[in-house]
Amino acid sequence: MASSTPSQAQRAALKNAIWGCLFGSALGDAMGLSTEFLTKQQAHDIYGPVETRPLSFSRIHQDAHRKKWIAGDFTDDTDQQMILLAALVSDGTGSLDPAELGSRLAAWARTGFLTLRKPSLGIGGTVGAVLTHFSPVPDPYVAAMDVWERHDRNLAANGAVMRTAVVGCSEFWDEEVVFGNAVKAARVTHADPRCVFSCVVVSVLVSRIIRQAVGMDAPPRIVSPEDQANPPVHISSGDDPAGRFRLPEDVRRRTPLSLWDHASALWRPTEAQQWNAIFTEFGKRMSSTRTIVQTSSSAALASQPPHPQSQPPLPSSSSSSTSTSLPPYPFPGPDSTRTSQVRSIVDSYIPVLTMHRSTASAAEIESHCFPPSISDLGLDDPSTRGYTLKCLGSALYCYTRSPSSSSSSGEDFKALMQGLIMEAGDADTNATVAGALVGCRVGYDGLPEDWLMGLRNREWIEERAEALLEMVLSRWEKVGS
């Protein structure tokens, strides 16, 4: 539990850590799009050595995949993290309601973010399969379990861990609550224990980074192995708790509409008309034939394969996913204190893997969470690049690197993200999680200013970061008083 109400210094440190986590994640996502689904060799051929030619949003290769987003925009990884944040904030009790999270995800999958003029692009196979038949009642975990069972209980994609860092920001002083929220956030779409384990490790690590940042010295209470193997099932009561925190889109008009409101509504475009305009812009950007399909609640995009002359060609790739001829990126060496911190969390929460009689071995956890080098993870292997333990391991590898004492503000973060992104594979997701951990560690003040200035929809994230901070401070004051 929090021991006292936060001081002004603690409030400032808390904001720096939470904003660092959220914006570090978004920056990793947006810049990681540069090499998503490329091989390491292709990434090198396109971008060259980043030590001499740093990555930037203006340099993102404009092929058919990357042209779906405007340079500097984040992808579905950040979309889903902001949805998870909204579910945490709108509840206001510190406990995540999985039914609300699933409902919000399903609504976003249908409609995207109209306020950002963004369709729901890039949804992974597991998340998409679950959300197509998600139902919040009677059990919000049924759809994920059904998809997992249909794949012979061997479906451990990274679509849950990519959105979960924000869980560690809420109730960071109570590891039992963080654990429970991480389990629920994962199980809404991913039933595999390896996915749950990945979410728990990331969320708990974020909570401990924040505890350290604000000066909480008391050791956290670790969830017992029995409770890890049999986490509680939370089903929403449907109650609307007092003291709810509202995001801008959750606020409903409380005063009657005026005559002017009624009149002005007559010439405002309808939602369908707005989506038509959005997809028209999207089609022009893609320079390929698109068909707009309208429904009562969304506008869905039915696409044809892009015309081969409408995009720059990718360099050819050999049959081997990772080129051994490329020189290794100069990552810093490991920091012993951070490595011990990660080791403690991984060892403490391995019992999560006994859920549903998981087949994950101790050797597999060791090789992924503590790789000798980033290349040992084979992040660009097309057959395994979306594996949750690869994403987790790459993020932990970046987090445990020693900081450079000579680097200016933002350079440590940028160097780690560039090295990871140039490993290619599912680069935006890997950098989303790594960016959250490293960003939480260095704080918002330690993020690169040029990347922040190039991030699209930055103010939209700021609104949500402030709402989360307000809720966390309110909860902290309540439990500390």
Side-chain angles (χ1 to χ4, degrees), residues 174-180 183 193 196-198 200-201 204-205 207-208 220-225 228-229 342-354:
D174 192 333
E175 195 159 299
E176 292 180 350
V177 176
V178 171
F179 165 81
V183 171
V196 179
F197 171 79
S198 301
V200 167
V201 170
V204 168
L205 179 53
S207 72
R208 292 193 186 182
R221 293 182 301 180
I222 298 173
V223 180
S224 70
Q228 290 184 46
V342 170
R343 171 74 66 183
S344 172
I345 294 172
V346 169
D347 290 348
S348 296
Y349 287 96
I350 275 184
V352 170
L353 293 167
T354 61

PDB file of all heavy atoms in Angstrom, residues 174-180 183 193 196-198 200-201 204-205 207-208 220-225 228-229 342-354:
ATOM      1  N   ASP A 174       0.460  -1.294  -5.374  1.00  0.00           N
ATOM      2  CA  ASP A 174      -0.139  -2.558  -4.935  1.00  0.00           C
ATOM      3  C   ASP A 174       0.072  -3.605  -6.025  1.00  0.00           C
ATOM      4  O   ASP A 174      -0.682  -3.685  -6.988  1.00  0.00           O
ATOM      5  CB  ASP A 174      -1.634  -2.367  -4.664  1.00  0.00           C
ATOM      6  CG  ASP A 174      -2.259  -3.557  -3.929  1.00  0.00           C
ATOM      7  OD1 ASP A 174      -1.734  -4.681  -4.083  1.00  0.00           O
ATOM      8  OD2 ASP A 174      -3.259  -3.364  -3.226  1.00  0.00           O
ATOM      9  N   GLU A 175       1.102  -4.432  -5.855  1.00  0.00           N
ATOM     10  CA  GLU A 175       1.464  -5.392  -6.896  1.00  0.00           C
ATOM     11  C   GLU A 175       0.403  -6.459  -7.100  1.00  0.00           C
ATOM     12  O   GLU A 175       0.269  -7.000  -8.202  1.00  0.00           O
ATOM     13  CB  GLU A 175       2.812  -6.033  -6.561  1.00  0.00           C
ATOM     14  CG  GLU A 175       3.435  -6.758  -7.742  1.00  0.00           C
ATOM     15  CD  GLU A 175       4.927  -6.955  -7.595  1.00  0.00           C
ATOM     16  OE1 GLU A 175       5.645  -5.938  -7.496  1.00  0.00           O
ATOM     17  OE2 GLU A 175       5.372  -8.118  -7.584  1.00  0.00           O
ATOM     18  N   GLU A 176      -0.349  -6.761  -6.071  1.00  0.00           N
ATOM     19  CA  GLU A 176      -1.415  -7.744  -6.228  1.00  0.00           C
ATOM     20  C   GLU A 176      -2.482  -7.241  -7.195  1.00  0.00           C
ATOM     21  O   GLU A 176      -3.001  -8.006  -8.028  1.00  0.00           O
ATOM     22  CB  GLU A 176      -2.036  -8.075  -4.871  1.00  0.00           C
ATOM     23  CG  GLU A 176      -1.091  -8.834  -3.944  1.00  0.00           C
ATOM     24  CD  GLU A 176      -1.733  -9.156  -2.602  1.00  0.00           C
ATOM     25  OE1 GLU A 176      -2.835  -8.625  -2.328  1.00  0.00           O
ATOM     26  OE2 GLU A 176      -1.137  -9.918  -1.833  1.00  0.00           O
ATOM     27  N   VAL A 177      -2.812  -5.961  -7.103  1.00  0.00           N
ATOM     28  CA  VAL A 177      -3.792  -5.385  -8.024  1.00  0.00           C
ATOM     29  C   VAL A 177      -3.214  -5.302  -9.430  1.00  0.00           C
ATOM     30  O   VAL A 177      -3.897  -5.609 -10.415  1.00  0.00           O
ATOM     31  CB  VAL A 177      -4.246  -3.991  -7.538  1.00  0.00           C
ATOM     32  CG1 VAL A 177      -5.186  -3.351  -8.557  1.00  0.00           C
ATOM     33  CG2 VAL A 177      -4.943  -4.104  -6.191  1.00  0.00           C
ATOM     34  N   VAL A 178      -1.954  -4.891  -9.537  1.00  0.00           N
ATOM     35  CA  VAL A 178      -1.304  -4.838 -10.852  1.00  0.00           C
ATOM     36  C   VAL A 178      -1.321  -6.216 -11.501  1.00  0.00           C
ATOM     37  O   VAL A 178      -1.647  -6.360 -12.689  1.00  0.00           O
ATOM     38  CB  VAL A 178       0.139  -4.314 -10.724  1.00  0.00           C
ATOM     39  CG1 VAL A 178       0.891  -4.464 -12.050  1.00  0.00           C
ATOM     40  CG2 VAL A 178       0.139  -2.854 -10.283  1.00  0.00           C
ATOM     41  N   PHE A 179      -0.989  -7.239 -10.733  1.00  0.00           N
ATOM     42  CA  PHE A 179      -1.009  -8.607 -11.256  1.00  0.00           C
ATOM     43  C   PHE A 179      -2.404  -8.978 -11.763  1.00  0.00           C
ATOM     44  O   PHE A 179      -2.565  -9.468 -12.883  1.00  0.00           O
ATOM     45  CB  PHE A 179      -0.571  -9.589 -10.168  1.00  0.00           C
ATOM     46  CG  PHE A 179      -0.885 -11.021 -10.491  1.00  0.00           C
ATOM     47  CD1 PHE A 179      -0.067 -11.755 -11.336  1.00  0.00           C
ATOM     48  CD2 PHE A 179      -2.001 -11.649  -9.953  1.00  0.00           C
ATOM     49  CE1 PHE A 179      -0.360 -13.079 -11.654  1.00  0.00           C
ATOM     50  CE2 PHE A 179      -2.303 -12.963 -10.251  1.00  0.00           C
ATOM     51  CZ  PHE A 179      -1.485 -13.683 -11.108  1.00  0.00           C
ATOM     52  N   GLY A 180      -3.411  -8.732 -10.944  1.00  0.00           N
ATOM     53  CA  GLY A 180      -4.774  -9.087 -11.339  1.00  0.00           C
ATOM     54  C   GLY A 180      -5.230  -8.362 -12.584  1.00  0.00           C
ATOM     55  O   GLY A 180      -5.847  -8.949 -13.481  1.00  0.00           O
ATOM     56  N   VAL A 183      -3.477  -9.831 -15.711  1.00  0.00           N
ATOM     57  CA  VAL A 183      -4.069 -11.107 -16.107  1.00  0.00           C
ATOM     58  C   VAL A 183      -5.367 -10.874 -16.867  1.00  0.00           C
ATOM     59  O   VAL A 183      -5.607 -11.468 -17.928  1.00  0.00           O
ATOM     60  CB  VAL A 183      -4.306 -12.002 -14.877  1.00  0.00           C
ATOM     61  CG1 VAL A 183      -5.129 -13.229 -15.254  1.00  0.00           C
ATOM     62  CG2 VAL A 183      -2.973 -12.430 -14.269  1.00  0.00           C
ATOM     63  N   PRO A 193      -1.108 -19.093 -21.545  1.00  0.00           N
ATOM     64  CA  PRO A 193      -0.375 -18.644 -20.348  1.00  0.00           C
ATOM     65  C   PRO A 193       0.907 -17.875 -20.663  1.00  0.00           C
ATOM     66  O   PRO A 193       1.327 -17.024 -19.876  1.00  0.00           O
ATOM     67  CB  PRO A 193      -0.060 -19.950 -19.617  1.00  0.00           C
ATOM     68  CG  PRO A 193      -1.130 -20.889 -20.048  1.00  0.00           C
ATOM     69  CD  PRO A 193      -1.419 -20.531 -21.479  1.00  0.00           C
ATOM     70  N   VAL A 196      -0.183 -14.345 -20.974  1.00  0.00           N
ATOM     71  CA  VAL A 196      -0.499 -13.803 -19.649  1.00  0.00           C
ATOM     72  C   VAL A 196       0.787 -13.504 -18.893  1.00  0.00           C
ATOM     73  O   VAL A 196       0.940 -12.443 -18.270  1.00  0.00           O
ATOM     74  CB  VAL A 196      -1.395 -14.777 -18.863  1.00  0.00           C
ATOM     75  CG1 VAL A 196      -1.704 -14.221 -17.482  1.00  0.00           C
ATOM     76  CG2 VAL A 196      -2.691 -15.046 -19.629  1.00  0.00           C
ATOM     77  N   PHE A 197       1.733 -14.430 -18.926  1.00  0.00           N
ATOM     78  CA  PHE A 197       3.021 -14.247 -18.262  1.00  0.00           C
ATOM     79  C   PHE A 197       3.719 -12.997 -18.799  1.00  0.00           C
ATOM     80  O   PHE A 197       4.255 -12.184 -18.020  1.00  0.00           O
ATOM     81  CB  PHE A 197       3.883 -15.487 -18.485  1.00  0.00           C
ATOM     82  CG  PHE A 197       5.304 -15.348 -18.029  1.00  0.00           C
ATOM     83  CD1 PHE A 197       5.635 -15.459 -16.684  1.00  0.00           C
ATOM     84  CD2 PHE A 197       6.326 -15.121 -18.944  1.00  0.00           C
ATOM     85  CE1 PHE A 197       6.948 -15.326 -16.253  1.00  0.00           C
ATOM     86  CE2 PHE A 197       7.642 -14.995 -18.530  1.00  0.00           C
ATOM     87  CZ  PHE A 197       7.958 -15.103 -17.181  1.00  0.00           C
ATOM     88  N   SER A 198       3.739 -12.811 -20.104  1.00  0.00           N
ATOM     89  CA  SER A 198       4.388 -11.646 -20.695  1.00  0.00           C
ATOM     90  C   SER A 198       3.765 -10.352 -20.189  1.00  0.00           C
ATOM     91  O   SER A 198       4.467  -9.392 -19.846  1.00  0.00           O
ATOM     92  CB  SER A 198       4.281 -11.703 -22.228  1.00  0.00           C
ATOM     93  OG  SER A 198       4.882 -12.866 -22.748  1.00  0.00           O
ATOM     94  N   VAL A 200       2.093  -9.905 -17.377  1.00  0.00           N
ATOM     95  CA  VAL A 200       2.372  -9.744 -15.949  1.00  0.00           C
ATOM     96  C   VAL A 200       3.777  -9.191 -15.745  1.00  0.00           C
ATOM     97  O   VAL A 200       3.984  -8.253 -14.951  1.00  0.00           O
ATOM     98  CB  VAL A 200       2.189 -11.085 -15.213  1.00  0.00           C
ATOM     99  CG1 VAL A 200       2.769 -11.008 -13.801  1.00  0.00           C
ATOM    100  CG2 VAL A 200       0.713 -11.468 -15.154  1.00  0.00           C
ATOM    101  N   VAL A 201       4.762  -9.746 -16.441  1.00  0.00           N
ATOM    102  CA  VAL A 201       6.147  -9.290 -16.265  1.00  0.00           C
ATOM    103  C   VAL A 201       6.278  -7.819 -16.635  1.00  0.00           C
ATOM    104  O   VAL A 201       6.876  -7.025 -15.890  1.00  0.00           O
ATOM    105  CB  VAL A 201       7.109 -10.157 -17.105  1.00  0.00           C
ATOM    106  CG1 VAL A 201       8.510  -9.538 -17.129  1.00  0.00           C
ATOM    107  CG2 VAL A 201       7.183 -11.575 -16.541  1.00  0.00           C
ATOM    108  N   VAL A 204       4.221  -5.561 -14.025  1.00  0.00           N
ATOM    109  CA  VAL A 204       4.867  -5.526 -12.709  1.00  0.00           C
ATOM    110  C   VAL A 204       6.167  -4.726 -12.776  1.00  0.00           C
ATOM    111  O   VAL A 204       6.472  -3.940 -11.874  1.00  0.00           O
ATOM    112  CB  VAL A 204       5.123  -6.954 -12.192  1.00  0.00           C
ATOM    113  CG1 VAL A 204       6.058  -6.936 -10.979  1.00  0.00           C
ATOM    114  CG2 VAL A 204       3.801  -7.625 -11.827  1.00  0.00           C
ATOM    115  N   LEU A 205       6.930  -4.898 -13.858  1.00  0.00           N
ATOM    116  CA  LEU A 205       8.174  -4.134 -13.992  1.00  0.00           C
ATOM    117  C   LEU A 205       7.888  -2.643 -14.054  1.00  0.00           C
ATOM    118  O   LEU A 205       8.575  -1.839 -13.398  1.00  0.00           O
ATOM    119  CB  LEU A 205       8.936  -4.598 -15.238  1.00  0.00           C
ATOM    120  CG  LEU A 205      10.263  -3.888 -15.536  1.00  0.00           C
ATOM    121  CD1 LEU A 205      11.197  -3.918 -14.334  1.00  0.00           C
ATOM    122  CD2 LEU A 205      10.942  -4.507 -16.752  1.00  0.00           C
ATOM    123  N   SER A 207       5.366  -1.076 -12.747  1.00  0.00           N
ATOM    124  CA  SER A 207       4.951  -0.638 -11.409  1.00  0.00           C
ATOM    125  C   SER A 207       6.154  -0.474 -10.491  1.00  0.00           C
ATOM    126  O   SER A 207       6.217   0.462  -9.682  1.00  0.00           O
ATOM    127  CB  SER A 207       3.941  -1.623 -10.814  1.00  0.00           C
ATOM    128  OG  SER A 207       4.559  -2.844 -10.440  1.00  0.00           O
ATOM    129  N   ARG A 208       7.140  -1.362 -10.602  1.00  0.00           N
ATOM    130  CA  ARG A 208       8.319  -1.258  -9.745  1.00  0.00           C
ATOM    131  C   ARG A 208       9.222  -0.102 -10.166  1.00  0.00           C
ATOM    132  O   ARG A 208       9.860   0.541  -9.317  1.00  0.00           O
ATOM    133  CB  ARG A 208       9.090  -2.575  -9.752  1.00  0.00           C
ATOM    134  CG  ARG A 208       8.334  -3.713  -9.074  1.00  0.00           C
ATOM    135  CD  ARG A 208       9.224  -4.907  -8.812  1.00  0.00           C
ATOM    136  NE  ARG A 208       8.465  -6.046  -8.292  1.00  0.00           N
ATOM    137  CZ  ARG A 208       9.006  -7.204  -7.941  1.00  0.00           C
ATOM    138  NH1 ARG A 208      10.317  -7.386  -8.062  1.00  0.00           N
ATOM    139  NH2 ARG A 208       8.254  -8.195  -7.486  1.00  0.00           N
ATOM    140  N   PRO A 220       7.517  -4.834  -2.550  1.00  0.00           N
ATOM    141  CA  PRO A 220       6.158  -5.168  -3.001  1.00  0.00           C
ATOM    142  C   PRO A 220       5.724  -6.522  -2.484  1.00  0.00           C
ATOM    143  O   PRO A 220       6.546  -7.391  -2.186  1.00  0.00           O
ATOM    144  CB  PRO A 220       6.302  -5.174  -4.526  1.00  0.00           C
ATOM    145  CG  PRO A 220       7.732  -5.527  -4.766  1.00  0.00           C
ATOM    146  CD  PRO A 220       8.494  -4.881  -3.646  1.00  0.00           C
ATOM    147  N   ARG A 221       4.413  -6.696  -2.379  1.00  0.00           N
ATOM    148  CA  ARG A 221       3.862  -7.998  -1.994  1.00  0.00           C
ATOM    149  C   ARG A 221       3.678  -8.833  -3.255  1.00  0.00           C
ATOM    150  O   ARG A 221       2.868  -8.504  -4.114  1.00  0.00           O
ATOM    151  CB  ARG A 221       2.519  -7.822  -1.276  1.00  0.00           C
ATOM    152  CG  ARG A 221       2.636  -7.134   0.079  1.00  0.00           C
ATOM    153  CD  ARG A 221       1.278  -7.048   0.755  1.00  0.00           C
ATOM    154  NE  ARG A 221       0.320  -6.307  -0.074  1.00  0.00           N
ATOM    155  CZ  ARG A 221      -0.940  -6.077   0.285  1.00  0.00           C
ATOM    156  NH1 ARG A 221      -1.400  -6.553   1.422  1.00  0.00           N
ATOM    157  NH2 ARG A 221      -1.737  -5.382  -0.499  1.00  0.00           N
ATOM    158  N   ILE A 222       4.419  -9.913  -3.355  1.00  0.00           N
ATOM    159  CA  ILE A 222       4.364 -10.773  -4.538  1.00  0.00           C
ATOM    160  C   ILE A 222       3.193 -11.743  -4.403  1.00  0.00           C
ATOM    161  O   ILE A 222       2.954 -12.317  -3.338  1.00  0.00           O
ATOM    162  CB  ILE A 222       5.686 -11.539  -4.703  1.00  0.00           C
ATOM    163  CG1 ILE A 222       6.835 -10.537  -4.908  1.00  0.00           C
ATOM    164  CG2 ILE A 222       5.614 -12.507  -5.875  1.00  0.00           C
ATOM    165  CD1 ILE A 222       8.203 -11.171  -4.909  1.00  0.00           C
ATOM    166  N   VAL A 223       2.464 -11.919  -5.474  1.00  0.00           N
ATOM    167  CA  VAL A 223       1.322 -12.819  -5.487  1.00  0.00           C
ATOM    168  C   VAL A 223       1.815 -14.252  -5.290  1.00  0.00           C
ATOM    169  O   VAL A 223       2.823 -14.674  -5.879  1.00  0.00           O
ATOM    170  CB  VAL A 223       0.544 -12.687  -6.806  1.00  0.00           C
ATOM    171  CG1 VAL A 223      -0.649 -13.618  -6.833  1.00  0.00           C
ATOM    172  CG2 VAL A 223       0.109 -11.237  -7.006  1.00  0.00           C
ATOM    173  N   SER A 224       1.114 -15.011  -4.480  1.00  0.00           N
ATOM    174  CA  SER A 224       1.518 -16.384  -4.176  1.00  0.00           C
ATOM    175  C   SER A 224       1.438 -17.267  -5.417  1.00  0.00           C
ATOM    176  O   SER A 224       0.642 -17.005  -6.324  1.00  0.00           O
ATOM    177  CB  SER A 224       0.619 -16.973  -3.091  1.00  0.00           C
ATOM    178  OG  SER A 224      -0.687 -17.190  -3.598  1.00  0.00           O
ATOM    179  N   PRO A 225       2.276 -18.315  -5.493  1.00  0.00           N
ATOM    180  CA  PRO A 225       2.217 -19.212  -6.655  1.00  0.00           C
ATOM    181  C   PRO A 225       0.834 -19.821  -6.871  1.00  0.00           C
ATOM    182  O   PRO A 225       0.399 -20.013  -8.007  1.00  0.00           O
ATOM    183  CB  PRO A 225       3.247 -20.288  -6.310  1.00  0.00           C
ATOM    184  CG  PRO A 225       4.219 -19.601  -5.397  1.00  0.00           C
ATOM    185  CD  PRO A 225       3.378 -18.650  -4.593  1.00  0.00           C
ATOM    186  N   GLN A 228      -1.290 -17.251  -8.527  1.00  0.00           N
ATOM    187  CA  GLN A 228      -0.854 -17.028  -9.902  1.00  0.00           C
ATOM    188  C   GLN A 228      -1.422 -18.099 -10.836  1.00  0.00           C
ATOM    189  O   GLN A 228      -1.834 -17.805 -11.961  1.00  0.00           O
ATOM    190  CB  GLN A 228       0.672 -17.048  -9.989  1.00  0.00           C
ATOM    191  CG  GLN A 228       1.355 -15.855  -9.347  1.00  0.00           C
ATOM    192  CD  GLN A 228       2.853 -15.890  -9.565  1.00  0.00           C
ATOM    193  OE1 GLN A 228       3.319 -16.132 -10.674  1.00  0.00           O
ATOM    194  NE2 GLN A 228       3.616 -15.657  -8.503  1.00  0.00           N
ATOM    195  N   ALA A 229      -1.423 -19.330 -10.362  1.00  0.00           N
ATOM    196  CA  ALA A 229      -1.921 -20.428 -11.191  1.00  0.00           C
ATOM    197  C   ALA A 229      -3.441 -20.408 -11.320  1.00  0.00           C
ATOM    198  O   ALA A 229      -3.993 -20.930 -12.288  1.00  0.00           O
ATOM    199  CB  ALA A 229      -1.470 -21.763 -10.610  1.00  0.00           C
ATOM    200  N   VAL A 342      14.889  -7.531 -13.133  1.00  0.00           N
ATOM    201  CA  VAL A 342      14.093  -8.322 -14.076  1.00  0.00           C
ATOM    202  C   VAL A 342      14.108  -9.790 -13.674  1.00  0.00           C
ATOM    203  O   VAL A 342      13.077 -10.473 -13.726  1.00  0.00           O
ATOM    204  CB  VAL A 342      14.630  -8.136 -15.511  1.00  0.00           C
ATOM    205  CG1 VAL A 342      13.971  -9.132 -16.465  1.00  0.00           C
ATOM    206  CG2 VAL A 342      14.384  -6.710 -15.987  1.00  0.00           C
ATOM    207  N   ARG A 343      15.273 -10.283 -13.270  1.00  0.00           N
ATOM    208  CA  ARG A 343      15.373 -11.682 -12.846  1.00  0.00           C
ATOM    209  C   ARG A 343      14.417 -11.970 -11.690  1.00  0.00           C
ATOM    210  O   ARG A 343      13.748 -13.010 -11.661  1.00  0.00           O
ATOM    211  CB  ARG A 343      16.820 -11.973 -12.435  1.00  0.00           C
ATOM    212  CG  ARG A 343      17.040 -13.318 -11.759  1.00  0.00           C
ATOM    213  CD  ARG A 343      16.964 -14.465 -12.727  1.00  0.00           C
ATOM    214  NE  ARG A 343      18.037 -14.433 -13.699  1.00  0.00           N
ATOM    215  CZ  ARG A 343      18.145 -15.322 -14.693  1.00  0.00           C
ATOM    216  NH1 ARG A 343      17.221 -16.258 -14.846  1.00  0.00           N
ATOM    217  NH2 ARG A 343      19.129 -15.243 -15.553  1.00  0.00           N
ATOM    218  N   SER A 344      14.328 -11.065 -10.754  1.00  0.00           N
ATOM    219  CA  SER A 344      13.445 -11.249  -9.608  1.00  0.00           C
ATOM    220  C   SER A 344      11.986 -11.362 -10.046  1.00  0.00           C
ATOM    221  O   SER A 344      11.239 -12.213  -9.549  1.00  0.00           O
ATOM    222  CB  SER A 344      13.611 -10.078  -8.636  1.00  0.00           C
ATOM    223  OG  SER A 344      12.645 -10.122  -7.609  1.00  0.00           O
ATOM    224  N   ILE A 345      11.579 -10.507 -10.984  1.00  0.00           N
ATOM    225  CA  ILE A 345      10.186 -10.526 -11.448  1.00  0.00           C
ATOM    226  C   ILE A 345       9.893 -11.799 -12.239  1.00  0.00           C
ATOM    227  O   ILE A 345       8.873 -12.460 -12.017  1.00  0.00           O
ATOM    228  CB  ILE A 345       9.894  -9.271 -12.290  1.00  0.00           C
ATOM    229  CG1 ILE A 345       9.980  -8.015 -11.427  1.00  0.00           C
ATOM    230  CG2 ILE A 345       8.512  -9.368 -12.944  1.00  0.00           C
ATOM    231  CD1 ILE A 345       9.902  -6.723 -12.202  1.00  0.00           C
ATOM    232  N   VAL A 346      10.775 -12.143 -13.161  1.00  0.00           N
ATOM    233  CA  VAL A 346      10.570 -13.342 -13.976  1.00  0.00           C
ATOM    234  C   VAL A 346      10.486 -14.580 -13.101  1.00  0.00           C
ATOM    235  O   VAL A 346       9.576 -15.416 -13.248  1.00  0.00           O
ATOM    236  CB  VAL A 346      11.693 -13.478 -15.023  1.00  0.00           C
ATOM    237  CG1 VAL A 346      11.643 -14.849 -15.692  1.00  0.00           C
ATOM    238  CG2 VAL A 346      11.585 -12.374 -16.076  1.00  0.00           C
ATOM    239  N   ASP A 347      11.425 -14.715 -12.162  1.00  0.00           N
ATOM    240  CA  ASP A 347      11.425 -15.893 -11.287  1.00  0.00           C
ATOM    241  C   ASP A 347      10.190 -15.928 -10.387  1.00  0.00           C
ATOM    242  O   ASP A 347       9.639 -17.004 -10.118  1.00  0.00           O
ATOM    243  CB  ASP A 347      12.696 -15.913 -10.433  1.00  0.00           C
ATOM    244  CG  ASP A 347      13.943 -16.207 -11.243  1.00  0.00           C
ATOM    245  OD1 ASP A 347      13.805 -16.610 -12.408  1.00  0.00           O
ATOM    246  OD2 ASP A 347      15.059 -16.015 -10.713  1.00  0.00           O
ATOM    247  N   SER A 348       9.752 -14.750  -9.929  1.00  0.00           N
ATOM    248  CA  SER A 348       8.607 -14.699  -9.012  1.00  0.00           C
ATOM    249  C   SER A 348       7.302 -15.068  -9.690  1.00  0.00           C
ATOM    250  O   SER A 348       6.402 -15.626  -9.058  1.00  0.00           O
ATOM    251  CB  SER A 348       8.483 -13.300  -8.394  1.00  0.00           C
ATOM    252  OG  SER A 348       9.601 -12.985  -7.597  1.00  0.00           O
ATOM    253  N   TYR A 349       7.184 -14.766 -10.991  1.00  0.00           N
ATOM    254  CA  TYR A 349       5.893 -14.942 -11.668  1.00  0.00           C
ATOM    255  C   TYR A 349       5.874 -16.080 -12.681  1.00  0.00           C
ATOM    256  O   TYR A 349       4.912 -16.204 -13.440  1.00  0.00           O
ATOM    257  CB  TYR A 349       5.459 -13.617 -12.300  1.00  0.00           C
ATOM    258  CG  TYR A 349       5.009 -12.642 -11.236  1.00  0.00           C
ATOM    259  CD1 TYR A 349       5.872 -11.679 -10.728  1.00  0.00           C
ATOM    260  CD2 TYR A 349       3.737 -12.736 -10.676  1.00  0.00           C
ATOM    261  CE1 TYR A 349       5.478 -10.819  -9.712  1.00  0.00           C
ATOM    262  CE2 TYR A 349       3.324 -11.881  -9.672  1.00  0.00           C
ATOM    263  CZ  TYR A 349       4.201 -10.927  -9.189  1.00  0.00           C
ATOM    264  OH  TYR A 349       3.798 -10.082  -8.178  1.00  0.00           O
ATOM    265  N   ILE A 350       6.876 -16.931 -12.653  1.00  0.00           N
ATOM    266  CA  ILE A 350       6.850 -18.124 -13.503  1.00  0.00           C
ATOM    267  C   ILE A 350       5.640 -19.024 -13.218  1.00  0.00           C
ATOM    268  O   ILE A 350       5.123 -19.677 -14.135  1.00  0.00           O
ATOM    269  CB  ILE A 350       8.181 -18.904 -13.377  1.00  0.00           C
ATOM    270  CG1 ILE A 350       9.207 -18.297 -14.341  1.00  0.00           C
ATOM    271  CG2 ILE A 350       8.014 -20.375 -13.648  1.00  0.00           C
ATOM    272  CD1 ILE A 350      10.539 -19.012 -14.393  1.00  0.00           C
ATOM    273  N   PRO A 351       5.137 -19.094 -11.966  1.00  0.00           N
ATOM    274  CA  PRO A 351       3.938 -19.926 -11.741  1.00  0.00           C
ATOM    275  C   PRO A 351       2.737 -19.560 -12.606  1.00  0.00           C
ATOM    276  O   PRO A 351       1.826 -20.376 -12.763  1.00  0.00           O
ATOM    277  CB  PRO A 351       3.641 -19.706 -10.250  1.00  0.00           C
ATOM    278  CG  PRO A 351       4.973 -19.425  -9.637  1.00  0.00           C
ATOM    279  CD  PRO A 351       5.712 -18.617 -10.679  1.00  0.00           C
ATOM    280  N   VAL A 352       2.707 -18.348 -13.184  1.00  0.00           N
ATOM    281  CA  VAL A 352       1.623 -17.997 -14.100  1.00  0.00           C
ATOM    282  C   VAL A 352       1.542 -19.015 -15.242  1.00  0.00           C
ATOM    283  O   VAL A 352       0.459 -19.333 -15.746  1.00  0.00           O
ATOM    284  CB  VAL A 352       1.840 -16.574 -14.674  1.00  0.00           C
ATOM    285  CG1 VAL A 352       0.864 -16.290 -15.811  1.00  0.00           C
ATOM    286  CG2 VAL A 352       1.684 -15.528 -13.580  1.00  0.00           C
ATOM    287  N   LEU A 353       2.676 -19.541 -15.626  1.00  0.00           N
ATOM    288  CA  LEU A 353       2.730 -20.466 -16.755  1.00  0.00           C
ATOM    289  C   LEU A 353       2.051 -21.801 -16.467  1.00  0.00           C
ATOM    290  O   LEU A 353       1.849 -22.601 -17.389  1.00  0.00           O
ATOM    291  CB  LEU A 353       4.184 -20.709 -17.165  1.00  0.00           C
ATOM    292  CG  LEU A 353       4.894 -19.479 -17.753  1.00  0.00           C
ATOM    293  CD1 LEU A 353       6.392 -19.713 -17.823  1.00  0.00           C
ATOM    294  CD2 LEU A 353       4.331 -19.154 -19.127  1.00  0.00           C
ATOM    295  N   THR A 354       1.720 -22.065 -15.224  1.00  0.00           N
ATOM    296  CA  THR A 354       1.017 -23.318 -14.917  1.00  0.00           C
ATOM    297  C   THR A 354      -0.478 -23.217 -15.174  1.00  0.00           C
ATOM    298  O   THR A 354      -1.197 -24.220 -15.054  1.00  0.00           O
ATOM    299  CB  THR A 354       1.249 -23.714 -13.450  1.00  0.00           C
ATOM    300  OG1 THR A 354       0.732 -22.682 -12.585  1.00  0.00           O
ATOM    301  CG2 THR A 354       2.731 -23.905 -13.164  1.00  0.00           C
TER     302      THR A 354
END
